[in-house]
Amino acid sequence: VHSLDPHARPCSQVKPYHFDFSCSVKRRQAGKSVIDIFVKEFSGRSRAYYEEAFRDGRLRIEGTTRQKITYEASTPLGEGVRIRHRVHRHEPPVPNAQVQLIEEDDDYFVVCKPAGMPVHSGGQYRKNTVMGIVHATWPGTGRIAPAHRLDRPVSGVLICTKNKETARNVLDAITSGDTMKVYVARVLGRFEQATVDVDAPLYYDFGVGRAVVGVEGVDTILPDQPESREPSRRKHNVNAAGSPAERASDASDRLMQARGSTTEHHQTAKRIKKNKLSKKERVALHLKKCAEHKEERIFRPARTIVRLIGHSKDGRTSLVECQPITGRTHQIRAHLSHIGHPIANDATYGGTIAGHVQTGDLARSLGLHRRLDEPSSDSREVYMNGVSAVTVDVKIPEEDVDPACPHCPYYVARDYPVDWTPLWLHAHRYSICGRSFEAPYPEWAHDIDAHPTNPK
């Protein structure tokens, strides 16, 4: 991992490296050629690139263990055929923040995770992760593994275990709910009550990418019960009158009606095919389809205790402490939004301190600049949140350039969305298995007038 000086550079980047990506042909891909498969599944590169990669051996077909035959670029492939693609991998940059060590002993390795950095390998990231930086910074740690999740935009306590016994004990404690987690969040508006007990069932909708709060008397909600590793098979229909899915469907219908004519309907169909709908339209369309197909959802009990810490000096935001009693996906974010105080910069759940202006402020705080003129030949445009464009000098040394790589000579790959906005949610304290680990407050949590009943 190539971490740049925080005072000289705003981001941490990995030196581009060659990597063998391998995959097997899936059932839905059977009968297609290797070129057609890669153009469809990995559209970031052109057909011409894949054809050239096949000719020079960077894209190759290894066949199956049972059958060894010679493949051409146009040969239809069967299910299970192995394909390898040697790429010059350019990982997206992450904020140049340090991974701070909180505590280490024979069983635990606990760090404070920076916001904007993924925990482990996945997707576009392989080395530019918390685990990658830990192994590079502390090479003598041996094999350690994160014991729980912490989403990329969230900062705070990350517990890693050093042996199987500790990992098993931590997993058992998490599964049984025998833990205490305390987060701090900066929320929108002036939070008036000292303590609020939010008890609202949740369902995470992967199609929308957010948690939905169930409605008593409308949605069927699972009874409160101890946590279980096995998911419940009970389902219910949310297509009842007045359900969230039906209300979203009505909204989607009104959106379609507002477009008017049949011609506009066909234009919408073309936009859907070309994937040119806005995020709002995609969400509405997804919920409409859920209602039409009577999609069944499972709402699970969820509870979060929220305590006031203090208010910002301008009165626009408040700092609160959140103690999740259950552990649902996006639970704190959804519950804070449910009580009318979403995390202030969490646009997914109603936060409004985000977007073009705030992203520009963040860019300047990171040492970047907005693109007012054409970038120099040594710069590459970086998109933050898909809204603001900033540039940073990211040209790699000439000796590290791969002539066949479409991303060289820059560190940042073409068209990679880079989201550096930290979510104002921080895992402050984690108590488990008789131990307690605490991370210091982040910078955004300091400019607060403490409430008398809950001094910071």
Side-chain angles (χ1 to χ4, degrees):
V1 177
H2 178 49
S3 295
L4 304 172
D5 183 353
H7 300 292
R9 294 279 188 168
C11 57
S12 173
Q13 297 167 320
V14 174
K15 179 180 177 181
Y17 56 93
H18 287 98
F19 177 73
D20 257 0
F21 171 80
S22 64
C23 64
S24 296
V25 176
K26 299 177 176 60
R27 181 174 300 177
R28 60 181 170 81
Q29 300 165 336
K32 297 180 180 179
S33 70
V34 63
I35 304 298
D36 289 339
I37 291 173
F38 270 68
V39 168
K40 172 71 174 178
E41 302 292 337
F42 308 102
S43 57
R45 292 181 169 91
S46 67
R47 176 177 288 272
Y49 166 85
Y50 288 122
E51 290 172 344
E52 183 181 352
F54 188 85
R55 285 194 296 269
D56 64 22
R58 284 177 287 128
L59 179 60
R60 59 192 186 277
I61 305 169
E62 295 185 340
T64 64
T65 55
R66 296 180 180 179
Q67 192 177 29
K68 299 293 183 181
I69 63 176
T70 302
Y71 292 93
E72 302 295 336
S74 58
T75 303
L77 303 181
E79 181 182 357
V81 172
R82 199 75 178 163
I83 305 172
R84 286 191 179 273
H85 182 208
R86 185 168 178 78
V87 297
H88 196 229
R89 192 162 184 171
H90 292 237
E91 292 192 26
V94 298
N96 194 17
Q98 292 184 345
V99 176
Q100 298 176 344
L101 179 62
I102 295 175
E103 189 170 334
E104 180 185 12
D105 57 25
D106 293 337
D107 298 319
Y108 294 96
F109 191 92
V110 185
V111 298
C112 180
K113 172 193 171 301
M117 186 181 294
V119 172
H120 44 65
S121 301
Q124 300 170 352
Y125 298 92
R126 186 167 177 263
K127 295 183 178 182
N128 218 359
T129 65
V130 173
M131 299 311 297
I133 292 175
V134 163
H135 286 298
T137 308
W138 296 278
T141 55
R143 297 190 63 179
I144 62 174
H148 58 95
R149 286 187 54 188
L150 206 57
D151 291 341
R152 183 162 62 91
V154 179
S155 59
V157 175
L158 178 67
I159 301 174
C160 301
T161 55
K162 286 188 169 184
N163 53 67
K164 291 183 179 179
E165 183 180 357
T166 304
R168 185 167 52 250
N169 292 338
V170 170
L171 177 60
D172 289 341
I174 293 174
T175 304
S176 64
D178 189 19
T179 64
M180 189 183 77
K181 295 172 283 186
V182 176
Y183 290 74
V184 290
R186 191 154 185 170
V187 300
L188 203 60
R190 188 174 179 84
F191 200 92
E192 297 294 350
Q193 295 177 265
T195 302
V196 177
D197 192 338
V198 187
D199 191 352
L202 297 174
Y203 162 78
Y204 186 79
D205 192 325
F206 287 94
V208 180
R210 57 172 292 169
V212 180
V213 176
V215 181
E216 292 286 350
V218 175
D219 300 319
T220 304
I221 299 165
L222 291 179
D224 195 4
Q225 55 189 358
E227 299 292 314
S228 171
R229 295 183 189 180
E230 295 297 327
S232 170
R233 297 184 180 275
R234 292 185 58 182
K235 296 182 179 180
H236 88 277
N237 189 347
V238 297
N239 198 33
S243 68
E246 189 173 44
R247 292 197 297 271
S249 176
D250 293 340
S252 178
D253 287 337
R254 290 194 296 272
L255 179 64
M256 294 299 184
Q257 290 169 6
R259 288 176 178 155
S261 66
T262 306
T263 302
E264 289 178 328
H265 174 75
H266 288 307
Q267 289 174 347
T268 301
K270 289 181 180 179
R271 291 173 67 215
I272 292 172
K273 187 175 181 180
K274 294 181 179 180
N275 196 28
K276 290 186 177 180
L277 290 180
S278 68
K279 181 177 180 180
K280 182 178 180 180
E281 290 172 322
R282 289 197 303 271
V283 169
L285 187 62
H286 168 76
L287 292 178
K288 178 179 172 67
K289 288 180 178 179
C290 289
E292 288 175 347
H293 292 87
K294 296 180 170 32
E295 180 173 297
E296 295 179 328
R297 308 188 194 186
I298 301 172
F299 282 84
R300 298 181 179 275
R303 182 180 170 215
T304 306
I305 298 173
V306 184
R307 301 182 182 90
L308 173 63
I309 296 176
H311 304 111
S312 64
K313 298 184 186 301
D314 61 8
R316 296 178 62 198
T317 60
S318 304
L319 191 69
V320 296
E321 180 183 275
C322 304
Q323 183 183 345
I325 306 303
T326 52
R328 312 299 178 206
T329 303
H330 286 196
Q331 176 175 316
I332 294 175
R333 297 168 67 181
H335 276 176
L336 289 173
S337 177
H338 179 63
I339 62 175
H341 293 279
I343 295 173
N345 69 340
D346 187 1
T348 301
Y349 288 92
T352 58
I353 303 182
H356 188 77
V357 175
Q358 286 73 23
T359 303
D361 293 339
L362 176 66
R364 285 187 288 274
S365 72
L366 289 171
L368 305 177
H369 60 277
R370 290 192 182 232
R371 185 167 66 98
L372 301 178
D373 303 307
E374 286 300 313
S376 68
S377 59
D378 292 339
S379 297
R380 169 65 58 87
E381 190 171 338
V382 178
Y383 290 93
M384 300 178 66
N385 302 331
V387 178
S388 298
V390 294
T391 58
V392 59
D393 293 338
V394 286
K395 201 168 185 180
I396 63 178
E398 187 175 348
E399 60 269 20
D400 294 325
V401 172
D402 183 344
C405 176
H407 305 307
C408 284
Y410 300 99
Y411 275 104
V412 180
R414 292 180 183 273
D415 304 324
Y416 274 9
V418 179
D419 186 356
W420 281 335
T421 304
L423 192 65
W424 289 345
L425 180 64
H426 176 77
H428 176 51
R429 187 166 59 253
Y430 210 122
S431 300
I432 191 168
C433 298
R435 304 287 296 275
S436 184
F437 307 102
E438 185 172 305
Y441 275 16
E443 185 178 352
W444 50 259
H446 288 300
D447 185 23
I448 294 292
D449 290 331
H451 190 269
T453 59
N454 284 302
K456 191 167 67 170

